[in-house]
């Protein structure tokens, strides 16, 4: 047996924002720092998952590479020999396994996925894609191909992980123990030590900052001009309470600024709250967060521009070769189990 696998992916459906960075990318970088000696880390871009809802296809290829560059700029050591980086569509076994798993997933259980229901509501039955319906089953294939035990995910993906476990258990019971069943949600949270960080939109702080929602003034993109980002922070929606408090329910805008501030300063939320609590100048808080964001973006962007795209592509292609071998081996086991191969 090789090392246990930690696997995660970040879609390339649009540009990455500070919420993705703080909530998804940095935790992976930290995982690699803490665990790289004992685990294999699969960090991939689910490019096939990136157009289940409409996107600008002229940007897809480059956005996929950019995602990986952002990980590298954030500190992921892509040259670590126990870390694989790859693009989903470059490993055809993902799509083939997804089809096979489709036939062992029930229409009813797939129809219960909240993300599918939300998207159906948003787009309507006649325009929500079948790809959106199949989304969690392709995701199950992404995970099961590599026997991944640990799958760091945002809380909105819990149901998809649970479906993956159900499919794996069903398959293992019907055939033989072909798949490693990923650990259950609670254990995943303990493993990643992931407090559920949700950065909110600066404009509509009841909602999360999201690349899937058109909200340019509420969203700080990692590619924003630092001065542009300052303007967004300075015009963030707050409230009329008049006193700073960490109270996400009643003061979501102010609480969001405190959260961002804590993460950018790398201090605990409690420490940051005690810095600001009971102060009355929202302007001072905004000013302070704006400065932090400006510095953070300037640093990040200079690291990003130092990433050598050719070096990244070389590592990517070499990893994709190795990953194809691993994935094809697992696929063959599955094909044999279902009677497609002898
Ligand atoms: P988006 O909602 O921006 O389209 P995705 O749904 O593709 O982003 O999520 C990509 C990753 O980023 C997931 O791990 C998700 O949990 C994380 N993420 C997305 N938005 C936020 C946010 N506002 N705050 C923290 N993490 C986030
Ligand atoms: N659905 C995940 C998200 O939106 C992205 C994803 C696709 C993924 N396949 C995966 C994450 C496999 C982890 C493992 O965040």
């Amino acid at each position: 047996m090789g090392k246990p696998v930690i696997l995660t992916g970040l879609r390339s459906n649009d540009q990455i924002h500070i919420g993705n960075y703080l909530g998804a990318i940095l935790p992976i970088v930290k995982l690699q720092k803490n665990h790289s000696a004992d685990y294999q880390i699969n960090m991939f871009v689910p490019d096939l998952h990136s157009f289940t809802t409409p996107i600008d296809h002229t940007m897809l290829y480059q956005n996929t590479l950019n995602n990986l560059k952002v990980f590298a700029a954030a500190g992921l050591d892509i040259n670590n020999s126990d870390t694989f980086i790859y693009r989903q569509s470059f490993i055809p076994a993902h799509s083939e396994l997804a089809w096979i798993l489709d036939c062992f997933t029930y229409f009813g259980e797939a129809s219960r996925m909240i993300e599918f229901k939300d998207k159906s509501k948003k787009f309507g039955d006649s325009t929500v894609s079948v790809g959106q319906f199949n989304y969690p089953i392709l995701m199950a294939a992404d995970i099961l191909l590599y026997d991944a035990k640990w799958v760091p995910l945002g809380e909105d993906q819990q149901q998809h992980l649970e479906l993956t476990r159900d499919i794996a258990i069903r398959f293992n019971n019907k055939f033989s123990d072909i798949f490693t069943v990923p650990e259950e949600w609670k254990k995943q949270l303990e493993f990643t030590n992931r407090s559920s960080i949700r950065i909110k939109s600066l404009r509509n702080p009841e909602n999360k900052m999201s690349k899937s929602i058109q909200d340019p003034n509420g969203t700080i993109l990692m590619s924003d001009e630092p001065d542009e980002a300052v303007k967004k922070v300075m015009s963030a929606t707050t409230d009329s309470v008049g006193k700073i408090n960490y109270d996400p329910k009643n003061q979501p805008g102010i609480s969001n600024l405190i959260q961002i501030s804590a993460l950018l300063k790398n201090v605990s939320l409690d420490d940051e709250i005690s810095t600001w609590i009971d102060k009355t100048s929202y302007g001072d808080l905004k000013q302070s967060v704006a400065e932090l964001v400006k510095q953070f973006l300037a640093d990040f962007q200079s690291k990003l521009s130092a990433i050598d795209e050719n070096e990244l592509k070389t590592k990517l292609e070499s990893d994709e070769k190795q990953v194809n071998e691993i994935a094809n081996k697992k696929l063959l086991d599955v094909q044999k189990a279902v009677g497609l191969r002898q």
Side-chain angles (χ1 to χ4, degrees):
M1 275 301 270
K3 295 179 174 179
V5 176
I6 305 175
L7 178 146
T8 197
L10 185 70
R11 293 186 302 154
S12 46
N13 52 334
D14 211 334
Q15 293 197 63
I16 289 174
H17 54 74
I18 195 171
N20 300 135
Y21 187 89
L22 297 172
I25 294 174
L26 270 194
I28 300 299
V29 173
K30 282 193 192 140
L31 269 182
Q32 190 199 40
K33 287 214 166 90
N34 297 337
H35 290 303
S36 69
D38 312 315
Y39 292 84
Q40 177 190 311
I41 297 182
N42 285 26
M43 172 50 233
F44 79 108
V45 184
D47 50 356
L48 292 168
H49 273 114
S50 302
F51 49 99
T52 50
T53 52
I55 59 157
D56 176 357
H57 287 268
T58 63
M59 300 299 291
L60 179 59
Y61 189 84
Q62 193 56 42
N63 276 344
T64 300
L65 283 180
N66 282 351
N67 261 17
L68 292 164
K69 278 166 83 174
V70 168
F71 271 98
L76 190 82
D77 173 13
I78 58 166
N79 291 318
N80 183 313
S81 59
D82 283 319
T83 297
F84 289 118
I85 55 169
Y86 53 97
R87 294 161 289 188
Q88 183 187 38
S89 73
F90 283 72
I91 319 291
H94 288 238
S95 314
E96 289 200 41
L97 180 61
W99 172 261
I100 296 173
L101 298 183
D102 273 345
C103 301
F104 296 92
T105 308
Y106 303 125
F107 189 82
E109 63 187 345
S111 310
R112 282 196 290 277
M113 294 296 112
I114 294 163
E115 189 169 318
F116 175 69
K117 287 203 259 186
D118 284 351
K119 295 275 158 57
S120 311
K121 225 185 271 160
K122 188 169 160 209
F123 290 94
D125 266 357
S126 51
T127 46
V128 68
S129 71
V130 174
Q132 185 64 50
F133 186 73
N134 267 345
Y135 184 116
I137 303 156
L138 176 58
M139 185 165 161
D142 298 338
I143 296 168
L144 298 178
L145 265 180
Y146 304 98
D147 289 317
K149 206 168 155 186
W150 302 110
V151 190
L153 284 166
E155 74 218 6
D156 52 335
Q157 298 293 309
Q158 176 179 355
Q159 215 186 6
H160 292 168
L161 182 81
E162 279 159 4
L163 180 67
T164 300
R165 284 170 46 84
D166 290 344
I167 297 172
I169 292 168
R170 183 175 305 145
F171 202 91
N172 284 350
N173 285 342
K174 187 168 171 76
F175 301 103
S176 53
D177 281 346
I178 288 181
F179 295 128
T180 297
V181 181
E183 295 289 349
E184 60 189 52
W185 185 253
K186 214 173 131 250
K187 289 207 183 140
Q188 300 279 351
L189 290 185
E190 285 162 13
F191 177 73
T192 50
N193 203 1
R194 194 181 176 122
S195 52
S196 35
I197 298 164
R198 286 281 107 172
I199 305 299
K200 301 293 165 64
S201 157
L202 297 174
R203 272 298 158 93
N204 307 293
E206 316 72 44
N207 302 328
K208 72 165 195 161
M209 194 179 279
S210 173
K211 53 183 150 68
S212 331
I213 297 169
Q214 282 305 318
D215 179 18
N217 291 325
T219 308
I220 298 175
L221 296 175
M222 296 303 289
S223 57
D224 274 349
E225 282 292 332
D227 286 330
E228 206 41 50
V230 164
K231 283 189 204 144
K232 293 183 187 179
V233 174
M234 293 310 291
S235 58
T237 302
T238 52
D239 54 67
S240 55
V241 175
K243 210 178 200 186
I244 296 177
N245 209 346
Y246 187 79
D247 180 355
K249 204 153 175 235
N250 299 310
Q251 297 186 258
I254 289 292
S255 304
N256 191 37
L257 291 174
I258 296 176
Q259 169 75 274
I260 294 173
S261 188
L263 289 166
L264 293 182
K265 284 185 184 165
N266 203 12
V267 300
S268 74
L269 183 59
D270 284 343
D271 281 352
E272 196 53 18
I273 293 171
S274 56
T275 304
W276 292 102
I277 191 123
D278 289 341
K279 298 213 162 115
T280 51
S281 171
Y282 289 2
D284 287 352
L285 175 61
K286 284 184 175 179
Q287 193 74 53
S288 164
V289 174
E291 256 328 296
L292 286 168
V293 167
K294 184 176 169 176
Q295 194 56 49
F296 162 72
L297 285 181
D299 285 352
F300 169 78
Q301 289 168 6
S302 95
K303 283 189 193 135
L304 189 69
S305 63
I307 303 287
D308 180 340
E309 188 163 311
N310 286 330
E311 197 186 310
L312 180 95
K313 275 188 181 155
T314 306
K315 162 74 173 162
L316 193 53
E317 281 158 18
S318 138
D319 278 7
E320 282 166 353
K321 223 185 226 165
Q322 292 183 64
V323 168
N324 261 308
E325 280 174 24
I326 301 170
N328 286 339
K329 228 166 131 211
K330 179 62 84 180
L331 179 65
L332 184 61
D333 290 344
V334 174
Q335 288 170 324
K336 284 183 180 164
V338 301
L340 289 167
R341 297 283 186 280
Q342 279 204 317

